[in-house]
Amino acid sequence: MSENPFKSVHIGHSHLERLAGDNTEYGRPVAGSKTELRGILAHNKVSREIIELCEIINERGYSLEDGRKAILFGELFEIYTRISNKLVGMLIRARRQKLLDFEGEMLFQSRDDHKEIVLNLSHLSASSEPE
């Protein structure tokens, strides 16, 4: 078998040595690369969207006896779809970060309109970035 004539043409990160699965760098972009920068920017954007979602629940929701705020999924869906089409994904991510809670694994429009979305934070500030 002859050697690939294009092998020396491309010098990039895709030709670095393979990492073992237990290496801490496995599955992570090369430090300082454009891929790493895009990942950081995407993470920051999603964090801001989660904060905005929590602020909407805090502002538009009703108070529970324990002081937390809640809103029905149907109402939140009506409010939030004017802002973004990825409400359920944001809710799931925010729940994973323990910022809010709701019953069930997934929420569906119409079927789950009566389900309560409960904000686990008593106060919010723009400086409190989720992880």
Side-chain angles (χ1 to χ4, degrees):
M1 185 169 172
S2 64
E3 189 160 328
N4 183 347
F6 301 106
K7 186 175 182 179
S8 63
V9 174
H10 178 74
I11 299 172
H13 298 301
S14 64
H15 294 294
L16 297 174
E17 68 180 66
R18 290 183 179 253
L19 298 174
D22 59 349
N23 188 313
T24 58
E25 297 300 311
Y26 183 81
R28 301 217 176 260
V30 175
S33 67
K34 288 182 181 180
T35 301
E36 180 188 43
L37 177 61
R38 283 190 297 269
I40 290 168
L41 294 174
H43 172 77
N44 291 341
K45 181 179 181 191
V46 169
S47 293
R48 284 190 304 273
E49 288 180 5
I50 289 174
I51 289 171
E52 181 181 5
L53 172 62
C54 291
E55 287 173 345
I56 288 170
I57 295 170
N58 193 43
E59 291 169 9
R60 300 282 189 93
Y62 49 89
S63 295
L64 299 175
E65 290 180 11
D66 62 5
R68 295 182 300 165
K69 292 282 191 139
I71 192 168
L72 295 178
F73 176 65
E75 185 180 347
L76 182 62
F77 191 87
E78 287 299 316
I79 295 166
Y80 202 78
T81 52
R82 294 185 184 106
I83 301 166
S84 171
N85 62 353
K86 39 192 184 276
L87 172 62
V88 175
M90 289 293 124
L91 288 170
I92 291 170
R93 184 177 279 246
R95 179 171 65 178
R96 223 177 321 171
Q97 295 174 9
K98 303 191 186 320
L99 298 174
L100 52 82
D101 200 15
F102 55 87
E103 185 183 321
E105 292 298 314
M106 180 63 72
L107 295 168
F108 296 95
Q109 186 182 10
S110 298
R111 184 189 85 176
D112 295 323
D113 284 354
H114 66 284
K115 288 196 178 172
E116 215 172 42
I117 310 296
V118 179
L119 187 62
N120 290 330
L121 305 174
S122 59
H123 63 285
L124 291 172
S125 70
S127 63
S128 59
E129 292 274 325
E131 295 178 9

